[in-house]
Structures are given as C-alpha cells and as structure tokens.
C-alpha cells in the first residue's frame, strides 16, 4: 500500500520503503514485499520505466483524490493528466490497481463504485484494452458484472472479508459501529450475496485482498473516525467461513493463493498455510506501544484457525 505520509510516488521511495520493511522482518523470514507506486497528476512515463527496471515495483495504485485514507494527493483527472503514464504502463506491462470510487460530493456514497465503473473504468478499458487492471476491494453486484464482462486476464478484482460477511446494517446495529466502517463502505445485502457468489464460483477473475487497516482505537472511536477494518489476524478464518457456508471449500485455495499471482504473472508461493477446523476466540484488542487496535470480529469465536508450516 503506497498511501503513506508522504505517499510512495517514486521508484526511489518504493525501494527505500522496501528496505525499511525488510529491516523490520524477524530473522529467518522469507517474506517478500511487492511494492507499488502511488499515481498522481504529476507521475511521468519515465517513472514507470524506472519502476519496471527496478525489479521490485509490480504495479501502480490509483486513488481518486479524497476517496480513502491518505488519498489527498491522488488523481484529480485521470484522462486529462495521466493518459501518457497509462500508455507507458501498457508498454511496460505494469498493472493498474484501482480504488474504484468517484469522489463527487453530489454522488451518493453507496453509488460511488457504480458511477466510477460507468464514467471511468469502462471508458478506460475501451481506450486502453491492453492495460491490466485490478479493481481492488469491490463491493457491488455492478462491479462483479463489470469484471465478468471483461476479457479474462485483463481485468480482475479483489474482495475483502468484511464485504463478504457484512452488509451496511453492520454499521448501525446497536448504535454506531466505527470498527465496521471502511471505504468503500459496506453495501446492501444483495451486493454482499453477489460477491459471495462470484468468489466461490471458481472464477479466476477474483482473488483475496484484505485491505486490512490497523488504525488505532483512538482514531476509530472519535468524532471523525478514520475508515478501515483490521482483518489481518482473522482474514483466512473468515474466508474459510464464507466458502464453507456455501459448500465451496474446494475453491478456497485458488481464491487465496493461485488466482492473484497467476493474474500478475508471478510465481505461486511454495510455502503452505494450514487451516484447521478448530474453535478459537478473537482477541478483544491488540496492544502496541502506539495504542490499541481492535480486530474484525473482536471477542467472537471463529471455527477455522490458520497456522503456518
């Protein structure tokens, strides 16, 4: 995720950020960070060439300005200011990762994804059909239909655990629920059901993307709380729950481990994660020197537990 403060807008910044990640890893870890650049109105085609040449930058992320956390430096006019960069991305086979929402204040927050598809994505794919696009953390039936309508291998989508398990009622049940607030915002039940059908169908167009956001409790429970759900500790357990409930556990591995690298043209991981049908209770919070973080489904009991071989 390049939406830091300041954002990761250059290859040099991505390389430096990668080094800081590697230094923070425990001894013996084989974790490989895959870096992305933050697209801005001033990104140059030359920067895309440098990114490809670096061997560590694998994609470019489009945040429409104001769409989500730390997106104030994002794109304000994709076709007017970024077209040469997008054309260079086609030449370099560099995927575009999209936060697919418009930010026009006149557009209803629950319609922002559909309007983005109609006004930005469809024209973009028509103009640059060879551009590889990942529509990240989709939330609607409209997004599912759009991805399915595109040529396989050119457009794909990630789906989060929260958008598979929660609908917008979860924001308000028993009072305001700030830890269920994320962007794109949760949608109606019909959209949740469409997402579940898509990811459990066996289609290669959809794959895991948690969009996990470890915001401190104090930044969530405040008058202007930030968007994001901390799902990392429970994500695999929750995906297993979704697939089991529709009798599709045989399709879980491809969704979590194969479809993503296959779309990006990357090798599949050779290490394994084991999921066991073992009940466990999600911690109420995780405490760090900078504050507490409340995980998704805090305090609840889950039926699947992951471990690493």
């Amino acid at each position: 995720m390049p939406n830091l403060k300041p954002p990761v807008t250059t290859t040099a910044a991505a390389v430096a950020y990668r080094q800081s990640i590697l230094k923070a890893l425990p001894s013996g870890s084989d974790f490989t960070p895959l870096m992305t650049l933050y697209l801005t109105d001033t990104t140059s085609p030359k920067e895309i060439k440098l990114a490809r040449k670096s061997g560590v930058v694998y994609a470019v992320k489009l945040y429409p300005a104001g769409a989500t956390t730390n997106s104030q430096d994002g794109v304000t006019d994709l076709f007017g200011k970024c077209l040469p960069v997008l054309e260079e991305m086609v030449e370099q086979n560099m995927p575009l990762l999209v936060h697919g929402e418009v930010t026009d204040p006149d557009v209803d927050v629950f319609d922002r994804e559909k309007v983005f598809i109609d006004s930005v994505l469809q024209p973009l794919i028509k103009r640059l059909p060879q551009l590889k696009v990942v529509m990240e953390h989709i939330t609607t039936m409209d997004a599912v239909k759009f991805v399915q309508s595109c040529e396989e291998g050119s457009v794909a989508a990630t789906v989060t655990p929260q958008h598979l398990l929660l609908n917008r009622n979860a924001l308000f049940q028993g009072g305001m629920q700030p830890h269920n607030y994320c962007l794109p915002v949760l949608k109606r039940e019909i959209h949740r059901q469409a997402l579940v059908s898509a990811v459990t169908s066996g289609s290669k167009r959809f794959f895991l993307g948690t969009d996990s956001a470890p915001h401190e409790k104090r930044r969530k429970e405040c008058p202007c709380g930030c968007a994001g759900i901390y799902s990392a500790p429970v994500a695999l357990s929750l995906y297993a729950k979704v697939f089991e409930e529709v009798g599709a556990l045989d399709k879980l591995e491809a969704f979590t481990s194969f479809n993503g690298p296959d779309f990006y043209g990357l090798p599949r991981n050779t290490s394994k994660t084991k999921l066991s049908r073992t009940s466990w209770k999600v911690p109420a919070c995780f405490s760090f020197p900078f504050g507490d973080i409340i995980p998704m489904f805090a305090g609840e009991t889950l039926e699947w537990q992951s471990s690493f071989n």
Side-chain angles (χ1 to χ4, degrees), residues 39 44-49 51-52 58-60 78-79 82-97 123-133 153-155:
L39 184 64
S44 69
K46 180 182 177 181
E47 196 63 58
I48 303 303
K49 292 179 182 178
R52 173 55 74 196
Y58 291 89
V60 176
L78 184 67
F79 294 105
C82 299
L83 192 57
V85 171
L86 297 172
E87 291 171 339
E88 186 60 39
M89 288 172 63
V90 172
E91 291 297 314
Q92 300 297 330
N93 194 30
M94 182 76 72
L96 178 69
L97 316 183
L124 175 63
I125 298 304
K126 184 175 181 179
R127 187 157 188 170
L128 295 173
Q130 293 178 302
L131 179 66
K132 296 191 74 166
V133 175
S154 64
V155 178

Side-chain angles (χ1 to χ4, degrees), residues 90-130:
V90 172
E91 291 297 314
Q92 300 297 330
N93 194 30
M94 182 76 72
L96 178 69
L97 316 183
V98 176
H99 180 110
E101 294 187 289
V102 297
T103 56
D104 184 341
D106 293 330
V107 176
D108 190 290
V109 67
F110 294 104
D111 297 330
R112 285 164 56 164
E113 186 169 280
K114 182 181 186 305
V115 173
F116 184 88
I117 292 168
D118 294 342
S119 62
V120 179
L121 267 190
Q122 286 184 336
L124 175 63
I125 298 304
K126 184 175 181 179
R127 187 157 188 170
L128 295 173
Q130 293 178 302

Side-chain angles (χ1 to χ4, degrees), residues 207-219:
F207 43 90
L208 180 153
T210 66
D211 200 36
S212 184
H215 297 302
E216 305 100 299
K217 179 180 178 181
R218 62 182 175 82
R219 295 188 62 210

Side-chain angles (χ1 to χ4, degrees), residues 175-212:
M176 292 293 294
Q177 301 297 328
H179 297 287
N180 288 338
Y181 171 54
C182 59
L183 289 174
V185 72
L186 300 172
K187 302 298 194 300
R188 290 179 179 270
E189 176 64 11
I190 57 171
H191 296 296
R192 187 195 70 81
Q193 292 177 4
L195 296 177
V196 171
S197 296
V199 303
T200 60
S201 68
S203 171
K204 296 180 180 180
R205 303 169 189 262
F206 304 97
F207 43 90
L208 180 153
T210 66
D211 200 36
S212 184

Side-chain angles (χ1 to χ4, degrees), residues 9-24:
T9 58
T10 67
T11 302
V15 170
Y17 182 32
R18 180 177 186 271
Q19 286 302 116
S20 68
I21 294 171
L22 293 174
K23 287 181 181 179

